[in-house]
Amino acid sequence: MHVEPVTLVCLSLATLFVAFLPISLYRRLRRPFLFDWRDTIAGIAVFALFATVIERALNGFLLHDNARSADFLTNPIAFVIYGALVAGVCEEVGRYIAMRMLARRGGRLSGSPQDSTGLAYGIGHGGAEAWFVGVLVQLQWIFFAVLANRGDLDGHLSNLTMDSVLRVHLILAELSPLHAGVFALERTAAFVFQIALSVLMWRGVQAGRKSILPIAILVHALIDVPAAMFQAGLLPLVAVDALYVSLAIVAAIVLFKTCAPRRSEARAA
């Protein structure tokens, strides 16, 4: 098993890009939007709790531990519906609770939207996703690739079953510069979506609209439908990625046009 050096270089560059994207965006927008670092920390904490703990525990129970639900969710349509809803419900409930707390801290639940909080929170939430789902996973595969090139991989994986070892070898064999590019595009698109969802939620909370929670869950679920369809074998990856990149570009343009720094001036008063 050998991973080409050019593939390792591309994977490393893509991983660095994803790792520094939220950090660089925060630094760039911090002053014009008067970010409060606590908003960003809240976003990181919510993703860590609701996505990596609660959502994973729920998936583990329904997809593996509970035989009845696991059997039911083998149906592709049922899996797509569940896969699209579970992330939306877990993450948006957490986002809603956090933003209600942030709004109370600021003493304002109505009036003109202060996109500063939504953007700062979104960078934290989306940045945590970029690191937990993207950077840390890719670092693991880069580490495995280096071990494979040294001939030490099987010894490092000696505590795994043969099926797991074969799966690792299969994934390493499929790594390529194209894989690195797809990874960077997917993580960037997901980051943009998280910021957009955060701004949407923050504006709804500030306006005092309780309906913003089901709306955000629905929007999040719709975004996750193509990914769930790919996992269920109903859509090819190229179609899913093309759709996500297109939607992310639209979302980024809307954010750029509607989130102006002047809307954060009231926060500095």
Side-chain angles (χ1 to χ4, degrees):
M1 180 67 237
H2 181 77
V3 179
E4 293 298 326
V6 66
T7 297
L8 272 174
V9 170
C10 291
L11 286 172
S12 300
L13 291 175
T15 303
L16 285 173
F17 172 78
V18 173
F20 284 101
L21 177 61
I23 298 171
S24 60
L25 185 62
Y26 180 89
R27 290 173 61 88
R28 183 178 182 83
L29 300 182
R30 178 170 57 89
R31 288 188 177 182
F33 282 94
L34 302 174
F35 282 167
D36 186 331
W37 62 270
R38 292 172 294 182
D39 298 337
T40 304
I41 294 299
I44 296 172
V46 166
F47 183 85
L49 175 60
F50 284 84
T52 66
V53 177
I54 296 176
E55 182 183 340
R56 286 187 181 181
L58 185 61
N59 285 336
F61 175 74
L62 294 178
L63 295 175
H64 303 289
D65 299 338
N66 188 296
R68 183 173 299 178
S69 62
D71 182 64
F72 174 74
L73 291 173
T74 56
N75 181 285
I77 302 300
F79 178 82
V80 168
I81 295 173
Y82 169 79
L85 282 175
V86 64
V89 171
C90 291
E91 289 188 48
E92 297 310 320
V93 168
R95 199 185 324 254
Y96 180 74
I97 293 172
M99 289 195 171
R100 286 294 299 254
M101 294 173 65
L102 292 174
R104 289 196 185 100
R105 185 199 69 198
R108 299 183 62 173
L109 281 173
S110 61
S112 299
Q114 296 181 22
D115 293 322
S116 161
T117 296
L119 289 169
Y121 176 95
I123 290 173
H125 194 121
E129 182 182 46
W131 272 82
F132 284 117
V133 179
V135 174
L136 297 180
V137 173
Q138 287 302 308
L139 286 176
Q140 180 187 51
W141 288 114
I142 291 171
F143 176 64
F144 285 165
V146 171
L147 289 178
N149 288 351
R150 291 179 177 178
D152 299 331
L153 180 61
D154 288 343
H156 183 78
L157 302 177
S158 59
N159 59 326
L160 298 181
T161 64
M162 183 57 67
D163 286 344
S164 298
V165 173
L166 289 175
R167 180 177 178 275
V168 170
H169 278 275
L170 179 61
I171 293 175
L172 290 176
E174 294 176 347
L175 295 179
S176 66
L178 178 61
H179 173 91
V182 169
F183 161 72
L185 287 175
E186 288 178 347
R187 289 298 97 212
T188 301
F191 181 60
V192 172
F193 293 146
Q194 291 289 10
I195 295 176
L197 286 165
S198 298
V199 171
L200 174 67
M201 180 70 80
W202 177 243
R203 290 185 178 186
V205 167
Q206 277 206 310
R209 297 175 181 171
K210 294 182 179 180
S211 61
I212 191 60
L213 178 57
I215 290 173
I217 291 174
L218 177 61
V219 173
H220 196 135
L222 290 174
I223 292 174
D224 284 344
V225 164
M229 293 181 69
F230 165 70
Q231 292 179 337
L234 301 176
L235 273 182
L237 181 60
V238 63
V240 174
D241 286 339
L243 178 60
Y244 279 149
V245 170
S246 300
L247 291 175
I249 291 173
V250 173
I253 292 173
V254 172
L255 285 170
F256 181 79
K257 289 186 175 181
T258 60
C259 297
R262 64 177 180 274
R263 295 184 179 180
S264 297
E265 291 177 358
R267 185 168 183 161

